[in-house]
Amino acid sequence: MGKKCIGVDVGGTSVKIGLFEVSGELLHKWEVKTRKEEGGRYILDDTADSILKRLEELGISIEEITGVGLGIPGPVLPNGYVEVCVNLGWRDCYPERELSKRLHGLPVKSANDANVAALGEMWQGGGKGYHDIVMVTLGTGVGGGVIIDQKIVAGRHGLAGEIGHIHIREDETETCNCGGVGCVEQVASATGIAREARRQMASKDMPSVLRSFGDKVTAKDVLDGAKAGDPLAMEVMEVVGHYLGMALAQVSMTTDPEVFVLGGGVSKAGQFLIDAIDENYKKFTPISKNKGKIVLATLGNDAGIYGAAKLILN
Amino acid sequence: MGKKCIGVDVGGTSVKIGLFEVSGELLHKWEVKTRKEEGGRYILDDTADSILKRLEELGISIEEITGVGLGIPGPVLPNGYVEVCVNLGWRDCYPERELSKRLHGLPVKSANDANVAALGEMWQGGGKGYHDIVMVTLGTGVGGGVIIDQKIVAGRHGLAGEIGHIHIREDETETCNCGGVGCVEQVASATGIAREARRQMASKDMPSVLRSFGDKVTAKDVLDGAKAGDPLAMEVMEVVGHYLGMALAQVSMTTDPEVFVLGGGVSKAGQFLIDAIDENYKKFTPISKNKGKIVLATLGNDAGIYGAAKLILN
């Protein structure tokens, strides 16, 4: 087995690539543009060319590489089959086989990118040292990944870790992107938090720093306002904390992880956000004092390349 | 490795014991009374004596036995440690080591009884042929077990599979046994269904067959009434189906099993209960048509011995 491995995180804008020691040290990282033309047919060519070129520049032979992990923005079946990957234009393909072919038969293992990011955070990020984690990524949407015994739980239909689409809010009336109503994503994503702020501004009379932003209010405005003690922003964050805390409690009663790792743009609010969630999480899990704690992700946008690299080592 | 194995399911009233072929065939089953005196110190003695005596009667040598699985009505840590088992009076002990010692060093593996029952249903029951199942036992309380890749997910703090204590009902005001409010158990256990019926009888004017039972109404009365078309009983079952469907949907978004296996006394309502849940489960999982289906447990009270036997084969 080689001493190094490669993690590839295919995104809609760029393909991120990392060269790692198998011990977890990131040696080099770089990106190539995602060429989505013609059903994304050039993406794996570009990726393989870039990897081979970089290895040559670094004087590293392909024999030194254990293998390549591949994070894909869509569902991946256990045999590596991808039925459809909307963001890349891929349909009906086996990306791991195709990338392997272009890399002289190096082993390639693929998985869904949100799950891969969770694996990365477990390996070298906020969940380092733990074997059972659940990652919740609070970005434009809400993604997630469940890791048990250091392995991704993909689910039999690729739905495991879809924390953003846990139905949670009974009084919601608008429809979520998934077609459901009352999903976690609708209240705890950046867009969800902004929407909740607009609702509260419209339904309440109290003055607030948020009003100066009007309909352009962002999740960051809300979090900054709440930290500064703005009452309306605090009420918005109470709603967010209530539902996120409830969702984490539900996950705890299902798989009981060691830690929840919060990532994504919203998690930049740091300990303030953790406190808002934790209070509610505790309220909904009185069954035991011993339960998962909530920590922050630390790898940012690199979680995907770390997790992909770990994927091939598992 | 021997060709046979033994499953032991320790309950508060009796210890159930089953002798199995490793292929899954139940050869003999019997029970011994659970002696709870003096902190339950005789339970494992009685169990071991009974096993050795029965093997002798059957002319089976101990070398033919691969090992013994042990289901315990309380949390079991991965190293076999039991801090406290209220129903048996046990405290601060390692039951698997103690039983092994009494059985001439036969390998013994223990786990929580609800998780073990889930493993049994996966092996030879309603979940046979599947590797990823979630069992939900609707009895006096609501128990559960999560199986992934044929193995119990116990959780890092022994809370995995506590489906009964998923917080789900926001308008609940009474407190659950766990100390929480609005748990699945409060609405979907036999006691929860009866309580919901009493509430509906008190708050609504409509005539109902349930009224003749008064405060003694049972879950079975409700299910029989709903099957027969009694409007009030049907309304109770709508509430039950709503919350159970929601809970299964939440579990699907976390671990995405192949099937949910419903057991316990309430599940005797059969397909009628499945239909009541499934309609709501589908409503809360519009994200995909491909997802876990809902089936009935088939092993009844034997699920525990089956699962315990499988435990030692894993």
Side-chain angles (χ1 to χ4, degrees):
Chain A
M1 190 168 100
K3 293 278 178 32
K4 294 179 171 58
C5 57
I6 291 172
V8 177
D9 182 16
V10 184
T13 309
S14 69
V15 180
K16 296 184 181 65
I17 306 171
L19 174 68
F20 293 82
E21 296 287 358
V22 295
S23 59
E25 190 192 345
L26 175 59
L27 300 172
H28 296 277
K29 66 172 176 172
W30 68 98
E31 298 185 8
V32 295
K33 193 170 162 296
T34 305
R35 277 203 283 162
K36 293 198 278 190
E37 304 91 276
E38 299 176 49
R41 64 187 300 169
Y42 304 113
I43 295 174
L44 293 177
D45 284 334
D46 293 350
T47 301
D49 289 350
S50 174
I51 288 172
L52 293 173
K53 182 161 162 275
R54 182 61 61 109
L55 289 179
E56 196 182 334
E57 287 168 4
L58 293 167
I60 295 170
S61 80
I62 202 148
E63 285 72 29
E64 292 176 67
I65 306 295
T66 298
V68 180
L70 185 62
I72 294 172
V76 181
L77 293 192
N79 64 355
Y81 178 68
V82 172
E83 187 183 348
V84 60
C85 186
V86 179
N87 287 346
L88 307 178
W90 290 355
R91 274 194 177 277
D92 200 28
C93 57
Y94 290 85
E96 60 185 44
R97 297 182 196 174
E98 291 175 26
L99 184 58
S100 177
K101 195 173 64 183
R102 290 166 173 81
L103 291 172
H104 311 298
L106 262 188
V108 177
K109 182 90 189 85
S110 62
N112 169 267
D113 59 355
N115 292 339
V116 163
L119 189 63
E121 288 289 342
M122 181 218 75
W123 191 35
Q124 297 294 335
K128 187 171 180 176
Y130 298 103
H131 292 180
D132 293 1
I133 78 159
V134 172
M135 182 162 182
V136 183
T137 304
L138 306 166
T140 313
V142 172
V146 176
I147 308 292
I148 296 180
D149 273 346
Q150 303 196 61
K151 293 196 171 46
I152 289 171
V153 176
R156 282 290 155 168
H157 317 87
L159 299 175
E162 285 285 2
I163 311 297
H165 300 291
I166 290 180
H167 172 83
I168 200 146
R169 189 172 191 175
E170 293 273 60
D171 65 359
E172 181 60 64
T173 52
E174 291 180 36
T175 303
C176 180
N177 289 328
C178 74
V181 175
C183 292
V184 170
E185 181 165 299
Q186 288 183 281
V187 64
S189 63
T191 43
I193 293 171
R195 192 185 60 151
E196 186 65 23
R198 291 194 301 272
R199 284 182 176 179
Q200 300 251 1
M201 285 193 280
S203 68
K204 288 175 179 165
D205 281 335
M206 65 176 85
S208 167
V209 294
L210 299 183
R211 295 195 188 277
S212 64
F213 302 106
D215 278 357
K216 296 213 163 63
V217 67
T218 65
K220 185 172 186 306
D221 300 330
V222 175
L223 283 154
D224 289 346
K227 281 184 189 177
D230 180 77
L232 192 74
M234 286 169 74
E235 289 197 15
V236 174
M237 286 312 297
E238 267 176 39
V239 174
V240 173
H242 174 83
Y243 289 111
L244 259 180
M246 197 192 302
L248 298 198
Q250 293 168 344
V251 172
S252 269
M253 295 301 106
T254 307
T255 67
D256 183 20
E258 293 168 286
V259 289
F260 291 95
V261 179
L262 302 184
V266 174
S267 74
K268 291 186 180 141
Q271 192 60 39
F272 179 81
L273 178 72
I274 290 182
D275 292 343
I277 299 168
D278 196 44
E279 182 188 343
N280 290 284
Y281 170 63
K282 290 207 174 89
K283 189 171 78 187
F284 296 124
T285 52
I287 193 170
S288 174
K289 283 200 166 59
N290 298 315
K291 56 203 164 199
K293 57 181 183 174
I294 305 171
V295 303
L296 294 171
T298 62
L299 300 177
N301 290 332
D302 288 345
I305 54 172
Y306 274 93
K310 176 64 174 157
L311 197 59
I312 196 69
L313 300 176
N314 268 351
Chain B
M1 192 167 100
K3 292 275 176 32
K4 294 179 173 57
C5 57
I6 291 173
V8 177
D9 182 17
V10 183
T13 309
S14 69
V15 180
K16 296 184 181 67
I17 306 172
L19 174 68
F20 292 83
E21 297 286 359
V22 296
S23 60
E25 190 192 343
L26 176 59
L27 301 172
H28 297 278
K29 65 171 176 173
W30 67 97
E31 299 186 5
V32 296
K33 192 171 162 298
T34 304
R35 279 204 282 163
K36 293 197 279 190
E37 303 92 274
E38 299 177 47
R41 64 189 301 169
Y42 304 113
I43 296 173
L44 293 177
D45 284 334
D46 293 350
T47 302
D49 290 349
S50 174
I51 289 172
L52 294 172
K53 182 161 163 277
R54 182 61 59 108
L55 289 178
E56 196 181 338
E57 286 167 6
L58 294 167
I60 294 170
S61 79
I62 203 149
E63 284 72 31
E64 292 176 65
I65 307 295
T66 299
V68 179
L70 185 62
I72 293 172
V76 182
L77 293 192
N79 64 355
Y81 177 69
V82 171
E83 188 183 348
V84 60
C85 185
V86 179
N87 286 346
L88 306 177
W90 290 355
R91 275 194 175 278
D92 200 28
C93 58
Y94 290 86
E96 59 184 47
R97 297 183 195 173
E98 292 174 25
L99 185 59
S100 177
K101 195 173 63 184
R102 290 164 173 81
L103 291 172
H104 310 300
L106 262 188
V108 178
K109 181 90 190 86
S110 63
N112 169 268
D113 60 354
N115 293 339
V116 163
L119 189 63
E121 288 289 343
M122 181 218 75
W123 192 35
Q124 297 294 334
K128 188 172 177 174
Y130 299 102
H131 292 181
D132 293 1
I133 78 159
V134 172
M135 182 163 183
V136 183
T137 304
L138 306 166
T140 312
V142 173
V146 176
I147 308 292
I148 296 180
D149 272 346
Q150 302 197 61
K151 293 198 169 48
I152 289 170
V153 176
R156 281 292 153 168
H157 318 86
L159 300 175
E162 284 286 1
I163 311 296
H165 300 290
I166 290 180
H167 171 84
I168 200 148
R169 190 175 189 172
E170 293 272 60
D171 65 0
E172 181 59 65
T173 52
E174 290 181 36
T175 303
C176 181
N177 290 328
C178 74
V181 176
C183 292
V184 170
E185 181 164 297
Q186 287 183 283
V187 64
S189 64
T191 44
I193 294 171
R195 191 185 60 152
E196 184 65 23
R198 291 195 301 273
R199 285 183 175 178
Q200 300 251 359
M201 284 193 280
S203 68
K204 288 176 178 164
D205 281 335
M206 66 176 85
S208 167
V209 294
L210 300 182
R211 295 196 187 275
S212 64
F213 303 107
D215 277 356
K216 295 211 163 64
V217 67
T218 66
K220 186 172 184 307
D221 300 332
V222 174
L223 284 154
D224 289 346
K227 281 184 190 177
D230 180 77
L232 192 74
M234 286 168 72
E235 288 197 14
V236 174
M237 286 312 298
E238 266 176 40
V239 174
V240 173
H242 174 83
Y243 288 112
L244 260 179
M246 198 192 301
L248 299 198
Q250 293 167 343
V251 173
S252 269
M253 295 300 106
T254 306
T255 66
D256 184 19
E258 292 168 286
V259 289
F260 291 94
V261 179
L262 302 184
V266 174
S267 74
K268 290 185 180 140
Q271 191 61 41
F272 179 81
L273 178 71
I274 290 183
D275 292 344
I277 300 168
D278 196 43
E279 182 189 340
N280 289 285
Y281 170 62
K282 290 206 173 89
K283 189 170 80 187
F284 296 125
T285 51
I287 192 171
S288 173
K289 281 200 168 57
N290 299 315
K291 56 201 165 201
K293 57 181 182 174
I294 306 170
V295 302
L296 295 171
T298 61
L299 300 176
N301 291 332
D302 289 345
I305 53 173
Y306 274 93
K310 176 64 174 158
L311 198 58
I312 196 67
L313 300 176
N314 268 350

